[in-house]
Amino acid sequence: MNQAFSELFTIFNRTKEDIEMFNSMLQPVVDHAKDEHERLYFHHILEEEEQRLERLGVLLPMLKLSLDEDLSHRQLVQVLQELNLEKFGLHNFREHLDLAMFEFKDEERQELLKTTRERTQADYLRVKELMTELNNRIEDVSPVQVFTDLAVGSGSAPSERKQGKKLTVGSLKMK
């Protein structure tokens, strides 16, 4: 898992830098919008990416910790939960870059957006692969899944369940 976590750390650290660049491109547009529609449109995108930066501020230290020491089951579940959220966030970032490419027609920003979009697409596809690998390596069922199965009456012990179950954002979310 260390190899996967190392690669994910690199990808999401790069993503953090790309989001910061993208946000610095959007902020002047929000500040000097020609009308309320333009301001709301870009403000919405900017807010979503600022929230992603906050989540990356949680994820990156978790990934760093996973490289330095063995994680407990609970810590592993938390890392996988955050990774699944950020996989979705990476998909949204790619779409935000696509939207921006329709708006920013000057050559400098078009080239920057295009390069960032291509890198983000490659990162998104790689994260999907890595998450599939990580999910396939997990042998235990999350505590939330055990509770859910017992609550709905499956009655089977975790060791008796099919190995095909995968961890998802919903099954990993722990308060």
Side-chain angles (χ1 to χ4, degrees):
M1 274 194 230
N2 276 354
Q3 178 68 27
F5 286 153
S6 177
E7 192 171 347
L8 288 162
F9 180 83
T10 300
I11 287 170
F12 285 116
N13 201 45
R14 179 174 50 240
T15 298
K16 180 180 178 280
E17 293 170 1
D18 286 345
I19 292 170
E20 289 168 342
M21 173 278 304
F22 184 64
N23 285 359
S24 69
M25 183 186 296
L26 293 183
Q27 189 61 57
V29 176
V30 171
D31 293 343
H32 306 292
K34 63 181 180 246
D35 57 35
E36 189 64 9
H37 176 265
E38 182 178 61
R39 189 191 70 73
L40 285 171
Y41 179 82
F42 287 109
H43 182 263
H44 176 77
I45 293 172
L46 187 63
E47 272 189 339
E48 282 189 13
E49 295 307 330
E50 285 174 351
Q51 289 173 358
R52 286 218 40 241
L53 286 174
E54 289 175 15
R55 289 194 315 265
L56 286 171
V58 171
L59 175 62
L60 288 170
M62 290 173 127
L63 286 172
K64 181 75 171 121
L65 177 68
S66 74
L67 298 174
D68 297 337
E69 59 186 68
D70 289 334
L71 299 178
S72 69
H73 178 75
R74 180 176 174 81
Q75 289 171 318
L76 178 60
V77 168
Q78 288 174 325
V79 169
L80 292 174
Q81 170 186 322
E82 295 297 326
L83 286 168
N84 274 304
L85 286 171
E86 285 315 306
K87 178 180 75 172
F88 180 72
L90 200 52
H91 176 269
N92 280 352
F93 181 52
R94 184 191 65 195
E95 289 182 347
H96 290 160
L97 292 166
D98 286 340
L99 290 169
M101 288 175 66
F102 285 110
E103 298 294 327
F104 301 116
K105 298 297 185 183
D106 59 281
E107 191 174 322
E108 181 182 345
R109 287 189 287 189
Q110 272 287 314
E111 188 57 37
L112 185 59
L113 290 167
K114 181 181 176 192
T115 302
T116 305
R117 199 265 186 222
E118 289 170 358
R119 183 173 49 244
T120 299
Q121 174 66 12
D123 286 347
Y124 173 67
L125 294 174
R126 183 62 184 143
V127 167
K128 282 178 62 172
E129 290 173 7
L130 289 168
M131 292 307 300
T132 298
E133 289 175 24
L134 287 171
N135 279 329
N136 288 337
R137 287 187 202 172
I138 302 300
E139 293 178 4
D140 295 324
V141 177
S142 76
V144 173
Q145 188 62 47
V146 171
F147 175 79
T148 302
D149 285 354
L150 292 174
V152 297
S154 86
S156 62
S159 61
E160 298 171 355
R161 286 200 195 89
K162 294 179 184 176
Q163 291 298 319
K165 290 202 181 233
K166 303 290 185 241
L167 297 174
T168 64
V169 174
S171 71
L172 293 173
K173 189 69 179 165
M174 297 173 75
K175 301 277 178 181

